Amino acid sequence: MSTPNRVYIARLAGVAVFDPNGDQVGRVRDAVARLRATKRPPEVVGLVAEMPMRRRIFLSINRITSIDADAVVLGSGTLNLRRFEKRQNELLVLQELLDRRVQLDPGGQPGAVVDVAMECTRGGEWSLTRVAVREQTGRLSRRGHLHQVEWDRVRGLSGIADNRGTANLLAVLEDMRPADLANALQDLPDARRNEVAAALDDERLADVLSELPEHDQVEILAALDRERAADILEEMDPDDAADLLNELPPPEQDVLLDLMEPDEADPVRQLLKYTPGTAGSVMTSEPVILPPDATVAEALARIREPQLSPAVAAQVFVTRAPQNTPTGRYLGMVHFQALLREPPADLLGKVVVNDIDPLRPTTPLPEITRRMATYDLVAMPVIDRNNRLVGAVTVDDVLDHSLPRDWRDRDALVAPGTADVALDGADG
């Protein structure tokens, strides 16, 4: 194996995994160590890698030919695609040891684990040999000294971890996309998951909740105090907040809606009134809306706003005042490609198109899907009986509600099976 003799595992989180042909097959999410009956440090038996479709698999350490800060390279193109499940005598290094409260020998100085190193012997065996521990000083203004010590000089690495912090684990997770972070949270024990979720800022937690299965959303929200839960709902898109509130009993819905700011709660209340499986129940009530006398340049500036999803930013809807839903009379929409082809000073009223009939709030999901596929659209307007724009259905809304209810649940993603699968173009 061509690799440094000592590797700190937290630095591997998110590193790409490549097959022998140089094709990326996933990213490192953790390391698996096997506990020993003797006092010897745990043996590292492999890595956990996340593949497309959020599938986490086990990579035996014996199949890895190279490990460094930029890449992990496999020696074989054959992978066992069975979902990774931890065995009783194993531990996940980052999930279970990072932030653990420990004591240093001699003297019993308290500290917290910030990283763990694995080393390879001449015989090719990898073990957890060193631990990076930051002292707890008890002073808010001073960071404790960082020690890198041998495994056997640290007390508290075995057994159940109590009173763990979250700072170091959050540092490992901070660069993940919301969907990947949601996936990582599903692998944590419930108490640890709720602890990490609560430590995220409101905007980040709102994004992550939108990517979790409904039962996990409800459990995390229930673990927060109600004021914080209401703040999180305010940060979510109204349609995502409405979907989450639909999972709660009506009395709890009312309590949280009352705690939200009125201008944030009103669109959510409106969405909750629509029948499930209709355009009204799946639409977003905050598409990009501009008046007909706005310029092409103004429209392009709006769709460049970073908080907009690609589907929402793909078109601008043109209405009479007011521009908040429900708007004034709906006039039509302009796709972003059309905006790119027009002079920046031209008015939207000159380039707006309205040759496709809008949806109604009662339009059922199968009809929405058929019409979006027919016209190759990523979004469609929804208007009420007074021809006012009340929202827009985007392609991600349609996919989210067309897939099985448990599609975000990783336990439901992987069909049973243990066969090794050879990657295309790789040597088996």
Side-chain angles (χ1 to χ4, degrees):
M1 179 182 291
S2 173
T3 188
N5 185 55
R6 179 183 299 161
V7 177
Y8 277 91
I9 296 171
R11 300 175 188 176
L12 289 180
V15 169
V17 179
F18 296 92
D19 68 12
N21 293 328
D23 296 323
Q24 184 175 336
V25 299
R27 290 188 178 277
V28 177
R29 291 306 181 206
D30 214 324
V32 185
R34 180 180 298 144
L35 302 175
R36 311 193 212 221
T38 65
K39 292 184 178 181
R40 295 174 62 198
E43 176 190 2
V44 178
V45 294
L47 302 177
V48 177
E50 184 170 276
M51 301 183 69
M53 293 299 295
R54 307 181 186 180
R55 179 180 299 183
R56 292 197 173 194
I57 64 170
F58 175 75
L59 303 176
S60 172
I61 200 75
N62 297 322
R63 290 195 174 189
I64 297 172
T65 59
S66 174
I67 301 176
D68 59 40
D70 299 315
V72 171
V73 181
L74 303 176
S76 169
T78 302
L79 297 177
N80 187 329
L81 297 183
R82 182 179 181 182
R83 181 180 182 272
F84 168 74
E85 292 185 5
K86 190 185 73 167
R87 297 175 180 175
Q88 188 173 4
N89 66 332
E90 294 176 342
L91 66 85
L92 289 168
V93 177
L94 299 183
Q95 177 178 314
E96 299 182 48
L97 296 185
L98 219 60
D99 294 306
R100 182 175 287 218
R101 300 290 189 254
V102 294
Q103 292 181 317
L104 297 173
D105 282 335
Q109 173 66 38
V113 176
V114 298
D115 208 342
V116 181
M118 61 182 188
E119 294 187 36
C120 185
T121 66
R122 291 183 178 179
E125 178 183 279
W126 286 84
S127 299
L128 301 179
T129 56
R130 295 181 69 82
V131 185
V133 178
R134 188 173 297 281
E135 288 183 7
Q136 292 179 281
T137 65
R139 300 180 183 178
L140 295 177
S141 60
R142 180 182 173 187
R143 297 185 71 189
H145 182 69
L146 183 65
H147 299 270
Q148 297 187 43
V149 298
E150 298 298 322
W151 177 273
D152 58 10
R153 282 195 53 203
V154 183
R155 285 185 286 159
L157 291 172
S158 60
I160 299 174
D162 294 321
N163 192 30
R164 282 183 295 180
T166 60
N168 297 302
L169 184 54
L170 286 174
V172 171
L173 303 176
E174 67 178 352
D175 293 329
M176 288 187 179
R177 293 174 178 266
D180 294 332
L181 178 51
N183 189 25
L185 289 181
Q186 289 187 61
D187 278 336
L188 298 177
D190 290 352
R192 181 68 160 155
R193 178 203 61 198
N194 293 344
E195 181 184 61
V196 172
L200 298 172
D201 65 55
D202 289 355
E203 183 177 358
R204 179 76 158 154
L205 180 53
D207 290 340
V208 171
L209 280 180
S210 299
E211 302 293 341
L212 283 167
E214 286 82 357
H215 62 87
D216 285 332
Q217 292 180 354
V218 171
E219 290 174 10
I220 289 174
L221 202 70
L224 305 173
D225 63 70
R226 285 174 168 172
E227 288 76 11
R228 175 88 197 281
D231 291 341
I232 301 303
L233 290 169
E234 289 175 357
E235 292 290 339
M236 298 177 74
D237 291 335
D239 53 325
D240 290 329
D243 289 342
L244 175 48
L245 285 171
N246 260 325
E247 302 296 319
L248 303 176
E252 188 65 18
Q253 291 180 19
D254 293 338
V255 170
L256 291 173
L257 285 167
D258 289 342
L259 288 171
M260 294 171 64
E261 294 294 329
D263 59 338
E264 299 285 352
D266 288 346
V268 179
R269 291 183 193 275
Q270 186 60 45
L271 290 172
L272 288 170
K273 295 178 182 178
Y274 294 112
T275 304
T278 63
S281 69
V282 304
M283 70 183 180
T284 174
S285 57
E286 297 179 347
V288 179
I289 306 170
L290 288 172
D293 58 353
T295 64
V296 168
E298 289 174 317
L300 289 171
R302 280 291 306 278
I303 65 174
R304 282 198 294 266
E305 293 176 0
Q307 72 272 19
L308 296 177
S309 70
V312 170
Q315 58 285 302
V316 173
F317 296 97
V318 182
T319 74
R320 298 294 183 189
Q323 264 69 61
N324 292 325
T325 56
T327 67
R329 185 165 66 90
Y330 172 71
L331 300 177
M333 65 180 182
V334 186
H335 194 272
F336 82 93
Q337 286 183 317
L339 294 172
L340 294 173
R341 293 193 292 263
E342 300 296 335
D346 277 8
L347 301 181
L348 293 183
K350 180 181 176 181
V351 297
V352 67
V353 296
N354 56 6
D355 56 347
I356 297 176
D357 291 336
L359 304 170
R360 297 289 182 176
T362 55
T363 304
L365 191 58
E367 173 66 11
I368 300 170
T369 305
R370 185 187 68 79
R371 291 173 63 180
M372 292 183 75
T374 298
Y375 298 112
D376 294 326
L377 296 175
V378 295
M380 289 195 71
V382 183
I383 64 171
D384 63 14
R385 65 180 63 185
N386 297 316
N387 205 33
R388 300 179 303 175
L389 184 72
V390 294
V393 176
T394 60
V395 66
D396 52 330
D397 295 326
V398 173
L399 286 172
D400 196 9
H401 290 82
S402 298
L403 290 167
R405 181 178 174 82
D406 61 354
W407 75 271
R408 294 186 188 276
D409 195 331
R410 294 203 312 109
D411 290 335
L413 287 175
V414 184
T418 60
D420 285 353
V421 176
L423 301 176
D424 291 342
D427 297 330

